[in-house]
Amino acid sequence: MKQHKYQLIRVHVPEPGASVRFTGETDRSYGRLAGIFVAMPEPIKEIGAALGLKIGGQEIFDDEHDVRLLTCGREVAPNDKFYQFPEHIEAGGASIEGRLVDAANSDQGYPFEARIILHLVSEK
Amino acid sequence: MESVRRITRVLEVESMGAVVPIDLSLPSDARVCNGLQAMVVGLFPRVVSRDDFGELSLSFNGKAIHPFHQLVPYESSRAPMATPARLDLLSLSTPLTPSSRVTGFYRDLNAQVEPFVPYRVRLSLNLLIA
């Protein structure tokens, strides 16, 4: 049976234009990264923001990858929000290395917390 | 299962009506480009959302294939919801020769009101890897 887990990563963005590195580890009980969703507190912060991501040392997104490709509006159903990876990405306790770059579209609403949610699956 | 590489290239647009030449190299093991998106980075308070902010033309494999000549939109933060549905890539299925080059241009379509604010355009490409 396929089992699912949604793993939340919080990224603290202190000021406009901040480039924030984050690290972590995927839950080792789930072997594959199946999807990702990035939630920002307001739409203006999505425009121009970038997310770089490596899982287990493998580059998934380069540092200029646009957050708009990984997020969507509030009216989208939660199960449809995720970007689904067509390829197999090995997770299972893999290292997470990322960098979130704020677009500095406004000087209001700082500091804030961006949330990155990983959809992990176990297909044993 | 296929292997995918996602790459992003950034164009700098410095003046009204500028034509920015594009000449990009792709990874040597890329076999197919199966998706592409161009996104304006920047907010311009006096510009409303529009489909024709810029124009993008791209050829692959040394101009042997020209699958992309398209408008680049701009989305104002005043739009009711900046990204109502998740932005996805435009579908392509362009076979690539080894060490393929992507050439073409981006043209600014004079959508900004003076004074012009320089901006960037991100090109995101999805590549299938051998």
Side-chain angles (χ1 to χ4, degrees):
Chain A
M1 186 197 297
K2 186 184 282 189
Q3 296 187 322
H4 301 263
K5 170 165 179 148
Y6 297 90
Q7 181 174 342
L8 177 66
I9 300 168
R10 292 187 171 88
V11 182
H12 180 78
V13 180
E15 59 194 10
S19 173
V20 183
R21 291 200 175 276
F22 59 91
T23 58
E25 188 176 285
T26 62
D27 189 316
R28 59 182 64 247
S29 302
Y30 300 83
R32 179 180 164 231
L33 174 62
I36 187 171
F37 171 63
V38 178
M40 303 291 242
E42 50 185 338
I44 193 173
K45 294 197 164 41
E46 298 167 0
I47 298 171
L51 176 73
L53 184 67
K54 288 183 180 176
I55 299 290
Q58 176 192 350
E59 184 177 272
I60 309 301
F61 304 126
D62 63 24
D63 280 349
E64 284 284 353
H65 196 82
D66 203 294
V67 163
R68 284 170 286 186
L69 294 166
L70 306 172
T71 191
C72 56
R74 279 64 174 163
E75 69 272 30
V76 176
N79 52 311
D80 287 334
K81 287 179 185 288
F82 284 76
Y83 173 82
Q84 300 291 334
F85 293 106
E87 75 272 34
H88 182 92
I89 299 175
E90 197 69 32
S95 63
I96 301 169
E97 302 165 73
R99 187 168 82 119
L100 182 72
V101 181
D102 179 68
N105 290 324
S106 155
D107 56 6
Q108 296 178 355
Y110 294 88
F112 71 89
E113 197 171 75
R115 280 102 175 182
I116 300 166
I117 300 109
L118 304 180
H119 176 199
L120 302 170
V121 294
S122 166
E123 292 168 314
K124 288 177 184 170
Chain B
M1 194 175 285
E2 66 222 2
S3 180
V4 178
R5 191 169 305 165
R6 301 168 183 84
I7 65 170
T8 311
R9 298 291 183 263
V10 179
L11 310 176
E12 306 278 349
V13 185
E14 302 285 353
S15 61
M16 187 89 83
V19 177
V20 181
I22 298 169
D23 186 1
L24 309 173
S25 59
L26 297 180
S28 58
D29 52 355
R31 290 293 169 263
V32 175
C33 177
N34 69 345
L36 170 65
Q37 188 59 271
M39 287 161 285
V40 172
V41 179
L43 282 178
F44 315 101
R46 289 179 293 166
V47 180
V48 297
S49 297
R50 55 191 298 164
D51 285 331
D52 58 347
F53 195 78
E55 173 188 349
L56 179 66
S57 175
L58 293 176
S59 298
F60 292 75
N61 304 337
K63 300 184 181 176
I65 308 175
H66 182 210
F68 197 92
H69 195 179
Q70 162 74 314
L71 295 173
V72 177
Y74 167 72
E75 186 175 37
S76 163
S77 67
R78 288 174 295 182
M81 189 57 90
T83 315
R86 187 169 45 74
L87 191 63
D88 211 341
L89 302 183
L90 296 165
S91 295
L92 284 181
S93 50
T94 303
L96 303 174
T97 55
S99 302
S100 174
R101 296 197 78 80
V102 180
T103 55
F105 66 86
Y106 172 85
R107 184 197 311 274
D108 177 79
L109 293 180
N110 305 310
Q112 286 196 52
V113 181
E114 293 281 4
F116 179 87
V117 178
Y119 63 97
R120 304 191 303 155
V121 177
R122 283 194 185 117
L123 294 182
S124 290
L125 295 99
N126 251 33
L127 306 172
L128 301 183
I129 302 299

